[in-house]
Amino acid sequence: MRKKSFQFLLFSFLFFAQYGFSQELFMPRNIKQAYAKGTRSADGKPGKNYWQNHGKYTMELTVNADTKIVSGTETIVYQNNSNDTLKNLPIRFVNNLHKPSSPRGGAVSNDFLTDGLTITSLKVEGEVYNEDAKSWGTVGNVKLKKPILPHSKITINIDWNYPLSKESGREGQIDDTTFFVAYSYPRVSVFDDYNGWDRLPHTDRQEFYNDFNDYTYSVKAPKNYVVYGTGDLLNPDEVLQPEFSERLKKSYTTDEILHIANEQEMKSGAVTKQYDWNVWKFEAKNISDVCFGLSNHYLWDAGSVVVDKKTNRRASIQAAYDVKGTDFVNSVKNNQYALDYFSNNWPGIPYPFSKMTAFHGFADMEYPMMCNDSQMNDPVFAQLVQDHEVAHTYFPFYMGINETRYAFMDEGWATTFEYLIGIAEHGKEAADKFYKEFRVEHYINDPSTEEDQPIITMSTQVSGPGYGNNSYGKASLSYIALKDLLGDDLFKKSLHAYMQNWNGKHPIPWDYFNSINTASGKNLNWFFNNWFFTTHYIDLSVKNVDAKNISVQNIGGFAIPFDVNIIYADNSKETLHQTPAIWEKNQKVATIALKKQKQIRQITIDGGIFMDATPKNNEWKK
């Protein structure tokens, strides 16, 4: 063994012996190295040597409504904050998913397919590179003529174009004159402290991983097209007729829901300046992505809401939708409620951005400051979908989650917040019913149980129901179980600590585990092991009942909360709630002591939203 290797192993041993929180949890070797190097810390905070790279993007984009071509001129000032010398420059272009040669997780129609990205000019530090990107997938590679030295920056200039797909998915053509333009520019892929360059291809199921960058961008669109984008609109007076510019500005300061432009106004050509082309300018800083939608006939509503009561900061809320999009008539009102709820209840962090726009499309998908949602023809379900997408503001956008590897770190939280706001909106009975039907039932009743892998499994290694169960239902159940275990106050304190530690950065699961351990003052590794590193499921059974105790067997293994509902011989009833703490010492059998020495007629175990795989054995009768 070389001396350097021995020193590393010795350091690792001493490090993890000192910080017991991480010692019990399985950790891949590359993650251990990140902790040993001090980029991450066992107390849950970024380590003293933590770093992340950064880009400053200046982009001029043009959308040709006739040819359906998006083109751009882009300058990236890329800062290498690492101690590594970078000899390659992986460039990510998610829209190449539409190329016939790109790997995908499922079948697509011909209308989904396009020729993908074409680079017409590429320069790095003024040097010309002969690269047209024709051979690239969703990640291409540029071999640098001069490496990027540690703690230095370079300037990249790219001119490019690509066609909007006819079949709209997360982006593309919504109709002949409405487009949602997302993942629409070449970007430097993430280089991080635990995996180096992120070269995982985008295959349409697993989602995204981006650096926090600063963006100044413009969208050149034909007259009569309104552009709705991530970031602040910098020049409303230059692109809108005075009356409509004033309506928009007023909406920034009022709870009132204003109709910025109605159907007739859009049809009459009275809304935008009547130049052949208008250039809409936007700016967004310290954000993981930007996108925009545009249409020449969508209705436009707007209002705002106070999201930070300490400073009275408001966020703009807008909606863009077709006249047939009846679900979207209430989008501004619903998002006023959502942003207020998320800011002041769960997660209880003021909405961190200046705007949220609901755009009538097809994806039911989240983007920074935007959501692209479909018409549901069910106002209650439409509100819930919108709540879910807006909740993603916090995870992954505020927190910088690597969704490609760890989808449960964002989808699980959005599902949890969707459930909690659903209780506030529609009552607990309705929220429970929806949650069980859409988030748990398919998982717990999946006949192909070999699909059930540990939640910690890298998201690219599971597919179909295995991916969906891990990312949404199971992960959310773990967070709700933790809430029950800690109680609302300590849970919120711990969640806030995690979010304060890692917002604007790139947390991984062990940062979450360690943050919660430290903030709660409890070693919860038994709980995290139980939920994230096993193939447990939900299945309780009444094992034994006597005059003093009830014993419950945990056949499935998950540390869940549950109620013991007792009916006594005199027809009186009692409910004994058990938090997941009951499984800390013995995860196979729990004993519940009975305080009332009365004859029992019936006992039923009820997990509520923690649906049982075999409910028949949840009941005991004398």
Side-chain angles (χ1 to χ4, degrees):
M1 181 183 291
R2 282 191 270 176
K3 183 177 180 182
K4 190 174 181 180
S5 299
F6 175 78
Q7 289 174 335
F8 172 78
L9 290 172
L10 179 61
F11 178 86
S12 300
F13 173 79
L14 294 174
F15 181 86
F16 292 109
Q18 181 180 359
Y19 296 103
F21 283 159
S22 297
Q23 194 173 4
E24 301 170 20
L25 298 177
F26 166 78
M27 190 179 288
R29 293 191 301 273
N30 60 313
I31 305 298
K32 288 181 180 179
Q33 289 172 349
Y35 279 87
K37 289 186 295 186
T39 55
R40 294 168 192 268
S41 173
D43 63 3
K45 297 179 180 179
K48 63 180 181 179
N49 297 324
Y50 181 80
W51 55 267
Q52 63 192 48
N53 289 351
H54 180 268
K56 185 176 182 181
Y57 285 66
T58 304
M59 302 184 292
E60 297 175 0
L61 300 98
T62 300
V63 180
N64 189 313
D66 296 325
T67 64
K68 312 299 192 284
I69 297 292
V70 180
S71 56
T73 296
E74 179 178 355
T75 298
I76 308 169
V77 179
Y78 182 71
Q79 175 73 43
N80 176 20
N81 293 316
S82 76
N83 292 324
D84 295 284
T85 297
L86 308 179
K87 298 178 180 179
N88 293 280
L89 194 65
I91 301 292
R92 184 170 292 274
F93 188 72
V94 170
N95 259 284
N96 270 353
L97 177 74
H98 295 277
K99 290 178 67 171
S101 58
S102 288
R104 283 178 293 275
V108 297
S109 73
N110 288 334
D111 284 344
F112 185 86
L113 301 175
T114 74
D115 292 335
L117 176 70
T118 298
I119 289 179
T120 56
S121 176
L122 174 62
K123 297 178 182 178
V124 180
E125 287 294 281
E127 287 201 57
V128 175
Y129 282 69
N130 184 23
E131 178 61 74
D132 61 11
K134 290 295 186 181
S135 64
W136 288 5
T138 55
V139 183
N141 187 70
V142 176
K143 179 70 174 176
L144 292 170
K145 298 177 182 179
K146 295 179 181 178
I148 311 173
L149 298 177
H151 308 287
S152 68
K153 63 179 64 175
I154 61 167
T155 299
I156 306 157
N157 300 101
I158 313 176
D159 294 346
W160 49 267
N161 63 75
Y162 78 97
L164 288 164
S165 61
K166 187 174 181 180
E167 180 185 291
S168 175
R170 288 187 169 106
E171 36 64 41
Q173 301 178 43
I174 307 298
D175 60 43
D176 284 344
T177 58
T178 303
F179 319 113
F180 198 83
V181 185
Y183 324 116
S184 58
Y185 56 94
R187 76 185 80 198
V188 180
S189 198
V190 177
F191 183 79
D192 62 31
D193 65 307
Y194 63 95
N195 266 312
W197 285 114
D198 176 31
R199 297 181 184 272
L200 289 174
H202 176 67
T203 59
D204 205 24
R205 187 69 188 268
Q206 293 80 21
E207 293 179 2
F208 311 103
Y209 183 36
N210 299 313
D211 274 323
F212 286 87
N213 300 311
D214 295 335
Y215 292 90
T216 301
Y217 70 102
S218 64
V219 179
K220 185 178 178 182
K223 67 180 178 182
N224 299 325
Y225 277 77
V226 174
V227 180
Y228 312 85
T230 300
D232 298 320
L233 177 61
L234 301 179
N235 64 332
D237 294 336
E238 294 178 13
V239 293
L240 295 170
Q241 299 286 4
E243 179 181 356
F244 299 92
S245 179
E246 289 307 311
R247 290 181 192 175
L248 179 62
K249 292 174 186 176
K250 181 182 177 182
S251 75
Y252 296 156
T253 63
T254 180
D255 291 342
E256 182 183 358
I257 300 171
L258 304 178
H259 301 296
I260 307 301
N262 62 32
E263 181 184 10
Q264 185 56 43
E265 289 166 337
M266 290 298 296
K267 284 182 177 179
S268 69
V271 178
T272 73
K273 292 291 181 69
Q274 292 300 290
Y275 305 118
D276 288 341
W277 297 85
N278 290 306
V279 178
W280 301 67
K281 299 176 181 177
F282 298 89
E283 183 177 67
K285 293 186 176 181
N286 195 38
I287 201 164
S288 58
D289 198 6
V290 294
C291 66
F292 59 94
L294 65 161
S295 177
N296 69 354
H297 64 275
Y298 267 21
L299 284 64
W300 186 5
D301 295 345
S304 63
V305 66
V306 173
V307 292
D308 189 339
K309 293 181 179 178
K310 291 182 179 178
T311 63
N312 285 322
R313 176 173 63 85
R314 283 183 172 269
S316 170
I317 299 175
Q318 302 181 34
Y321 56 99
D322 187 79
V323 67
K324 296 178 182 178
T326 53
D327 289 346
F328 292 83
V329 172
N330 292 317
S331 276
V332 172
K333 178 183 176 182
N334 289 343
N335 270 344
Q336 283 177 320
Y337 184 90
L339 265 62
D340 178 78
Y341 180 90
F342 293 141
S343 297
N344 296 293
N345 295 279
W346 297 105
I349 300 287
Y351 179 76
F353 301 130
S354 61
K355 182 166 63 177
M356 171 53 68
T357 300
F359 194 88
H360 179 185
F362 290 113
D364 305 327
M365 182 67 195
E366 72 280 358
Y367 313 80
M369 302 196 209
M370 297 193 76
C371 54
N372 172 9
D373 287 339
S374 51
Q375 170 73 11
M376 301 290 177
N377 295 314
D378 177 346
V380 173
F381 188 60
Q383 182 179 19
L384 184 135
V385 171
Q386 188 169 273
D387 287 344
H388 179 96
E389 310 312 343
V390 174
H392 273 299
T393 292
Y394 296 95
F395 300 88
F397 302 132
Y398 184 62
M399 296 293 289
I401 301 299
N402 185 340
E403 303 171 88
T404 312
R405 290 176 180 269
Y406 303 118
F408 67 87
M409 292 184 72
D410 78 297
E411 294 293 359
W413 282 111
T415 300
T416 299
F417 298 147
E418 157 208 306
Y419 169 65
L420 295 173
I421 194 175
I423 294 173
E425 290 168 341
H426 306 295
K428 190 172 187 305
E429 183 178 352
D432 283 4
K433 181 176 182 296
F434 178 89
Y435 187 91
K436 287 192 286 187
E437 182 178 350
F438 285 93
R439 302 306 189 189
V440 189
E441 188 171 353
H442 295 292
Y443 147 60
I444 204 63
N445 294 322
D446 186 350
S448 182
T449 55
E450 65 266 44
E451 293 177 323
D452 197 13
Q453 298 298 312
I455 298 175
I456 200 69
T457 305
M458 197 167 131
S459 297
T460 53
Q461 296 175 336
V462 286
S463 60
Y467 172 85
N469 295 340
N470 272 3
S471 304
Y472 294 83
K474 284 168 62 181
S476 176
L477 287 168
S478 82
Y479 302 139
I480 295 171
L482 182 64
K483 179 174 178 287
D484 191 275
L485 172 64
L486 295 178
D488 282 2
D489 290 344
L490 186 54
F491 177 74
K492 181 170 284 188
K493 174 190 172 185
S494 303
L495 175 60
H496 283 190
Y498 167 49
M499 296 177 75
Q500 287 160 7
N501 287 344
W502 287 99
N503 76 81
K505 300 178 178 67
H506 294 310
I508 55 177
W510 293 267
D511 300 318
Y512 162 67
F513 304 143
N514 291 334
S515 290
I516 299 297
N517 277 339
T518 299
S520 68
K522 299 175 181 291
N523 188 337
L524 295 168
N525 282 345
W526 71 270
F527 178 87
F528 297 131
N529 258 328
N530 177 281
W531 270 98
F532 290 88
F533 297 88
T534 71
T535 54
H536 290 335
Y537 60 103
I538 305 170
D539 188 6
L540 302 182
S541 172
V542 180
K543 185 179 182 182
N544 187 52
V545 178
D546 59 37
K548 295 183 178 180
N549 299 294
I550 301 168
S551 62
V552 177
Q553 186 174 3
N554 193 345
I555 299 170
F558 270 147
I560 69 165
F562 62 96
D563 288 339
V564 178
N565 297 315
I566 306 172
I567 301 176
Y568 293 101
D570 61 3
N571 289 325
S572 63
K573 298 179 181 179
E574 184 178 18
T575 295
L576 304 175
H577 180 70
Q578 308 301 313
T579 79
I582 199 168
W583 304 111
E584 181 175 1
K585 302 301 181 184
N586 185 338
Q587 294 183 19
K588 294 183 178 181
V589 178
T591 300
I592 299 111
L594 295 172
K595 295 181 180 179
K596 296 180 179 180
Q597 302 302 310
K598 296 168 63 174
Q599 189 175 2
I600 297 172
R601 191 172 78 224
Q602 181 178 326
I603 290 174
T604 305
I605 299 171
D606 184 4
I609 59 173
F610 295 82
M611 295 179 68
D612 201 287
T614 54
K616 289 182 179 180
N617 59 15
N618 288 16
E619 188 175 293
W620 175 92
K621 290 183 179 180
K622 187 170 182 180

